[in-house]
Amino acid sequence: MTNNKYILDWVKEMADMTCPDKIVWIDGSEEQAEKLRAEACSTGEMIKLNQELLPGCYLHRTAINDVARVEGRTFICTPTKEEAGNINNWIEPSECYERLKKIYRGSMKGRTMYVIPYSMGIVGSDFAKYGIELTDSIYVVLNMLIMTRVGNDVLDAIGDSDNYIKGLHSKAQLDENNRYICHFPQDNTIWSVNSGYGGNVLLGKKCFALRIASYLGRKENWMAEHMLILGVEFPNGETKYVCAAFPSACGKTNLAMLIPPEVYRKKGIKTWTVGDDIAWLRIGKDGRLWAMNPENGFFGVAPGTNEKSNPNALHTCMKDTIFTNVCHNLDNNTVWWEGLDNNPPKNALNWKGEKWDYTKYDKADKINTSGAHPNSRFTAKAVNCPCLSKEFNNPAGVPVSAIIFGGRRAKTAPLVYQSTSWQNGTFVGSIMASETTAAASGAIGVVRRDPMAMRPFVGYNMGDYWQHWLDMGKIIPHAPKIFHVNWFRTDDNGNFIWPGFGDNLRVVDWILARCEGKVDADLTAIGYVPKPEDINIEGLDGIT
Ligand code: OXD
Ligand code: MN
């Protein structure tokens, strides 16, 4: 534990308000985690899956009304509305604290409050940031143990300072009308109540590593972005890194874990995953922009993940994984989701825990007829990823050659183009748009503007965020080049034009060649576009 007075006083104050029966400090040990898993299984909060086929794997179901991030109930609580901007929801901080205190009061009665000290980044390193999450959910504890670096060494690293993010989460009654995900950037505080869905309650992820961190980044001259980090290793042994920002459920995990097409593999080109969702970017001593992944695991979308689309993700989640809201195959006590294979289980429970009849599946009504919820997830350890980069634990991260923006657009946006400068690239990021997905509640498939894929995640005014991008451009001596991609264009019959998945490396290859000045391009009104012959389509069926 700790003697840190700030921490002890704050834990006491929160416990006095929420009234848990007991308080348990999470120490990061396997022994404690195992006890919690057993407890969660004994209460039905988690189901232990077939340990021969899926060692260390569990299934959890959230409440039916609580399956995605709730952007309408997510608030940035800065003293003035201008600081939060006109895209974020805003409540004045003292009003918000008062409103939420009423909901939190007594909400942990009969429950345990867990104290989770966690680090975003390598504990003790220059660029790590620390948080403590208080929660009444074992599911949250077990997910945080996978997604972040948890334990007593974090308390040691915080020492006697008050420099840590104070997160309070209570499931309360899971009442959607009183669900709040609130950020107080000036107070280093996050309060989340009445939800049990990952994106709302694993406070290290969206709440800290994006919303609070983007605010800190602006103050401290760095950037927190909704980006994957991918390494491409060339036969000469050199590895180049790109960061890519796509909105939720648009294939960041797939690009981060891609397997090169055969023609590339034959040439000895390999790809490595550094991160699949969040990048913290700062200027290195060499004047380049460096990216590190503050997380320690993947909270990936399950549906659509299969041996072809993303074998690396599939292998990553074959052990030590918590599955949420997927379909439960009762014949062999394993899990299934739409798009895993063509063999839906005949004897199964759907994501709601009801008997599921796969023959009734209707694509137009996925929520009610699918086995797995469209936003069902796997929480899996990064160390289990077969293509994890050897730089994953490098506290400084990796130097970035290119930043890629992209969205899901059936029409309009071309396969790839390059901006003409950092400033123009900032503009390209700012006009990003994408068709909405199931990762957030609301309509699906509608084009919405999602600047830098950060619309739901900027912890302050979007206008100031763009200014921060422009300001950073002035102080990065060797800035990455900025590109835009769209894997999702369709023909008039609605079929995808580009094969996507591993073949996206062909586009990344062009991007890296551009960064090195190895390939020419045509300057158009939107920026540089490739000459058709410069995208390598060798071995690509059906494209000539
Ligand atoms: C996520 C999201 O879970 O963006 O990564 O919703
Ligand atoms: Mn995300």
Side-chain angles (χ1 to χ4, degrees):
M1 269 183 38
T2 180
N3 294 320
N4 180 315
K5 208 173 135 28
Y6 299 107
I7 298 178
L8 296 176
D9 287 353
W10 168 68
V11 172
K12 179 168 183 319
E13 190 189 334
M14 297 301 108
D16 286 349
M17 175 169 70
T18 53
C19 306
D21 283 8
K22 58 178 179 163
I23 300 179
V24 170
W25 290 69
I26 301 301
D27 59 17
S29 70
E30 179 48 32
E31 201 188 340
Q32 187 185 46
E34 193 48 39
K35 273 199 200 134
L36 291 173
R37 286 182 205 116
E39 190 180 332
C41 290
S42 75
T43 60
E45 190 171 343
M46 295 213 306
I47 296 163
K48 194 171 193 162
L49 294 166
N50 183 325
Q51 296 296 296
E52 261 161 48
L53 298 174
L54 297 170
C57 292
Y58 294 80
L59 169 65
H60 170 81
R61 294 188 195 102
T62 62
I64 289 169
N65 70 10
D66 190 22
V67 290
R69 283 184 293 98
V70 277
E71 294 178 8
R73 309 226 41 104
T74 301
F75 296 85
I76 301 297
C77 305
T78 43
T80 64
K81 182 161 169 36
E82 284 63 44
E83 286 163 274
N86 59 0
I87 288 181
N88 285 314
N89 302 309
W90 175 80
I91 310 178
E92 193 278 321
S94 53
E95 186 192 327
C96 188
Y97 283 128
E98 286 316 307
R99 197 186 300 181
L100 266 59
K101 272 181 195 166
K102 293 196 187 96
I103 305 173
Y104 278 119
R105 196 152 291 137
S107 65
M108 295 193 189
K109 259 189 206 136
R111 300 180 185 169
T112 301
M113 173 192 270
Y114 300 97
V115 183
I116 316 170
Y118 66 94
S119 173
M120 303 313 292
I122 305 293
V123 184
S125 69
D126 287 351
F127 205 36
K129 301 242 174 228
Y130 307 117
I132 298 184
E133 175 165 356
L134 310 179
T135 178
D136 54 5
S137 159
I138 295 188
Y139 170 76
V140 167
V141 175
L142 294 172
N143 274 269
M144 287 293 283
L145 283 166
I146 297 173
M147 293 305 297
T148 69
R149 295 166 173 92
V150 173
N152 289 335
D153 53 346
V154 175
L155 292 173
D156 295 342
I158 297 174
D160 54 14
S161 104
D162 65 348
N163 189 9
Y164 67 97
I165 303 299
K166 303 189 265 291
L168 174 64
H169 165 248
S170 173
K171 292 179 286 190
Q173 313 311 319
L174 298 177
D175 169 7
E176 55 187 323
N177 298 317
N178 276 308
R179 187 166 291 157
Y180 285 93
I181 322 298
C182 296
H183 307 73
F184 305 84
Q186 278 93 344
D187 299 347
N188 281 346
T189 294
I190 304 162
W191 278 14
S192 163
V193 69
N194 273 315
S195 174
Y197 169 73
N200 300 328
V201 300
L202 307 179
L203 301 186
K205 195 174 178 62
K206 304 301 185 184
C207 299
F208 178 173
L210 287 177
R211 297 193 191 98
I212 297 283
S214 62
Y215 173 87
L216 295 174
R218 178 172 174 236
K219 272 205 324 203
E220 300 166 2
N221 283 340
W222 56 279
M223 304 161 89
E225 299 296 332
H226 193 199
M227 291 178 178
L228 66 92
I229 312 167
L230 167 74
V232 182
E233 182 181 332
F234 291 93
N236 65 4
E238 246 191 314
T239 305
K240 304 273 178 213
Y241 297 91
V242 299
C243 285
F246 306 142
S248 310
C250 285
K252 282 199 299 300
T253 308
N254 289 347
L255 185 62
M257 297 185 186
L258 74 80
I259 298 206
E262 201 184 334
V263 282
Y264 280 79
R265 290 203 303 273
K266 279 195 179 141
K267 284 186 202 149
I269 291 176
K270 298 181 184 141
T271 44
W272 302 106
T273 309
V274 183
D276 81 325
D277 194 42
I278 298 176
W280 283 3
L281 304 163
R282 61 162 178 170
I283 305 168
K285 289 193 183 72
D286 59 358
R288 298 185 67 189
L289 197 61
W290 286 64
M292 70 87 139
N293 172 9
E295 301 191 280
N296 202 23
F298 308 113
F299 183 61
V301 178
T305 307
N306 59 50
E307 267 308 341
K308 193 163 171 278
S309 65
N310 194 341
N312 283 321
L314 203 59
H315 295 174
T316 308
C317 68
M318 286 297 115
K319 62 176 181 183
D320 309 326
T321 295
I322 300 172
F323 294 96
T324 303
N325 293 342
V326 296
C327 177
H328 189 192
N329 182 343
L330 296 175
D331 281 337
N332 59 4
N333 191 22
T334 61
V335 289
W336 189 85
W337 50 78
E338 279 66 23
L340 174 63
D341 54 37
N342 290 325
N343 197 12
K346 312 287 170 298
N347 176 23
L349 300 181
N350 66 12
W351 64 273
K352 300 177 192 169
E354 304 158 344
K355 194 88 186 97
W356 181 58
D357 180 354
Y358 73 97
T359 62
K360 303 261 162 63
Y361 176 71
D362 172 6
K363 218 174 166 190
D365 183 19
K366 284 191 190 165
I367 305 280
N368 290 309
T369 64
S370 61
H373 186 276
N375 190 37
S376 54
R377 300 279 176 146
F378 55 82
T379 317
K381 291 183 180 175
V383 283
N384 288 340
C385 176
C387 55
L388 193 69
S389 163
K390 63 179 180 0
E391 301 301 327
F392 177 75
N393 283 320
N394 183 339
V398 293
V400 183
S401 298
I403 287 176
I404 305 173
F405 292 121
R408 183 185 282 272
R409 298 295 300 272
K411 301 284 171 222
T412 315
L415 180 62
V416 59
Y417 64 98
Q418 180 187 355
S419 65
T420 53
S421 63
W422 178 277
Q423 281 76 6
N424 174 240
T426 302
F427 170 74
V428 168
S430 76
I431 59 161
M432 256 173 74
S434 193
E435 286 150 27
T436 49
T437 66
S441 52
I444 293 175
V446 210
V447 173
R448 80 160 180 175
R449 299 287 142 189
D450 189 351
M452 280 83 169
M454 283 289 278
R455 182 186 174 122
F457 306 122
V458 177
Y460 57 101
N461 189 315
M462 184 62 83
D464 292 335
Y465 167 78
W466 290 336
Q467 185 62 53
H468 180 50
W469 263 81
L470 293 172
D471 293 343
M472 286 297 293
K474 291 186 197 135
I475 59 170
I476 311 170
H478 309 294
K481 304 267 184 282
I482 301 180
F483 297 79
H484 187 280
V485 299
N486 175 24
W487 318 134
F488 299 95
R489 239 173 104 185
T490 54
D491 62 19
D492 291 339
N493 299 320
N495 303 311
F496 289 116
I497 299 176
W498 177 251
F501 302 108
D503 288 309
N504 292 336
L505 183 61
R506 299 170 188 273
V507 174
V508 175
D509 188 21
W510 179 81
I511 287 174
L512 289 171
R514 283 296 294 164
C515 293
E516 307 225 327
K518 285 188 185 153
V519 65
D520 205 0
D522 290 328
L523 183 58
T524 69
I526 58 167
Y528 295 103
V529 299
K531 292 182 183 298
E533 63 275 19
D534 287 335
I535 299 280
N536 182 350
I537 54 167
E538 196 188 334
L540 199 56
D541 287 347
I543 293 193
T544 47

